[in-house]
Amino acid sequence: MYWRLHKKFGLKVQLNLFYRMENFDLSQMSAVYYEEWKENSDWLKLSFHSDLENVKPYESSGYDVVYEECKRVHEQIKRFASPAALANTTTIHYCLLTESGLRAVEDNGVVGLLGLFGTNEKPRTSYDIDEGNAARIRTGEILKIGNISFASIDIILNCYSEEKILEQLAFISQRDCIKVMIHEQYFYEDYFRYQPEFEEKLRSTFSFLRENGYQSSFYESLLL
């Protein structure tokens, strides 16, 4: 699906990875596709998300835990997909890190974090950023604090119908950059909240963005 969208729209995709789930972890991932990952790394990259899919995993975690779990995912990505496939930006699961957690991902080479900052009507913050800076980020600004650049995810596609997605995109289409995310589990028929229109939502989104002059890019390319 992503290959088809890449060929049609020039789509670039970043997959944020958990290290493990029941009966599987990334150390078991075959390296047989190493060259294929490497060859496609100009449009398909991988990054650290969390050790596993638990609630707010790093809300109060110290440096050592975050550092080791991020490092472990990075090492596996480089092993089975090549260093070229490793992104140096990501979204941490639940968008929460302590100050020492932020240092830990920075020491693993992360230079940019995407998070959730809500709206003016329903503000929220991520990564322990104060509300003053969060307010700037939610307007679309990329804000560098220390050595990490922070930006807001503007829309999570699985949260809306196709019609509502297009309304939301039209509302923010004056921005220089629109950051788009979707959770992959809604693609699978055996998921209890399966969305059969998953691919069509993506197709409509990137058709709208291309028609409005946007080009797909990795977040890290905006930070150069």
Side-chain angles (χ1 to χ4, degrees):
M1 175 191 66
Y2 281 132
W3 171 251
R4 291 195 300 271
L5 294 171
H6 167 66
K7 297 302 287 185
K8 185 173 181 63
F9 299 111
L11 180 65
K12 295 186 178 181
V13 179
Q14 181 167 316
L15 305 176
N16 304 320
L17 305 187
F18 296 108
Y19 179 74
R20 60 189 169 106
M21 58 180 291
E22 187 176 359
N23 300 320
F24 179 82
D25 66 54
L26 290 181
S27 70
Q28 298 167 266
M29 178 67 178
S30 173
V32 69
Y33 303 109
Y34 181 97
E35 290 299 328
E36 189 172 352
W37 282 109
K38 184 178 179 181
E39 289 170 8
N40 286 279
S41 62
D42 61 326
W43 73 271
L44 181 61
K45 291 189 182 293
L46 306 171
S47 63
F48 168 68
H49 196 44
S50 179
D51 179 54
L52 74 166
E53 192 173 6
N54 56 335
V55 178
K56 300 180 181 179
Y58 305 120
E59 183 177 26
S60 57
S61 296
Y63 179 94
D64 290 344
V65 169
V66 178
Y67 181 86
E68 290 302 323
E69 293 186 359
C70 181
K71 178 183 177 183
R72 184 165 57 178
V73 171
H74 283 190
E75 288 176 341
Q76 291 303 321
I77 291 171
K78 288 185 284 188
R79 176 190 65 80
F80 72 76
S82 83
L86 174 62
N88 61 13
T89 65
T90 192
T91 299
I92 298 298
H93 194 34
Y94 277 86
C95 306
L96 296 171
L97 284 172
T98 62
E99 182 179 350
S100 58
L102 284 168
R103 292 202 310 274
V105 296
E106 180 184 337
D107 287 348
N108 273 288
V110 173
V111 299
L113 289 169
L114 290 159
L116 299 172
F117 293 87
T119 64
N120 291 333
E121 294 73 29
K122 294 182 179 180
R124 61 172 291 181
T125 190
S126 294
Y127 307 119
D128 205 29
I129 293 173
D130 65 82
E131 172 55 26
N133 283 326
R136 294 172 59 186
I137 293 169
R138 76 173 56 99
T139 65
E141 183 176 349
I142 296 174
L143 187 62
K144 189 171 185 178
I145 302 174
N147 295 314
I148 297 181
S149 296
F150 297 90
S152 178
I153 297 164
D154 294 311
I155 186 168
I156 302 176
L157 300 180
N158 55 267
C159 293
Y160 303 100
S161 67
E162 184 180 349
E163 179 182 7
K164 189 66 174 177
I165 287 169
L166 295 177
E167 289 178 6
Q168 295 280 91
L169 291 173
F171 182 72
I172 59 175
S173 60
Q174 78 287 351
R175 293 186 178 182
D176 292 336
C177 177
I178 295 176
K179 283 81 70 184
V180 175
M181 170 186 161
I182 194 165
H183 289 95
E184 93 295 336
Q185 60 263 47
Y186 295 87
F187 176 77
Y188 298 103
E189 293 183 12
D190 60 353
Y191 184 57
F192 76 105
R193 294 175 68 185
Y194 167 60
Q195 295 183 0
E197 71 281 15
F198 187 99
E199 184 170 355
E200 190 54 43
K201 285 184 177 183
L202 290 169
R203 188 178 300 279
S204 294
T205 294
F206 299 114
S207 177
F208 175 93
L209 291 172
R210 188 170 70 171
E211 288 170 3
N212 282 271
Y214 291 93
Q215 288 184 316
S216 187
S217 65
F218 293 117
Y219 177 43
E220 61 191 58
S221 70
L222 305 178
L223 309 181
L224 299 176

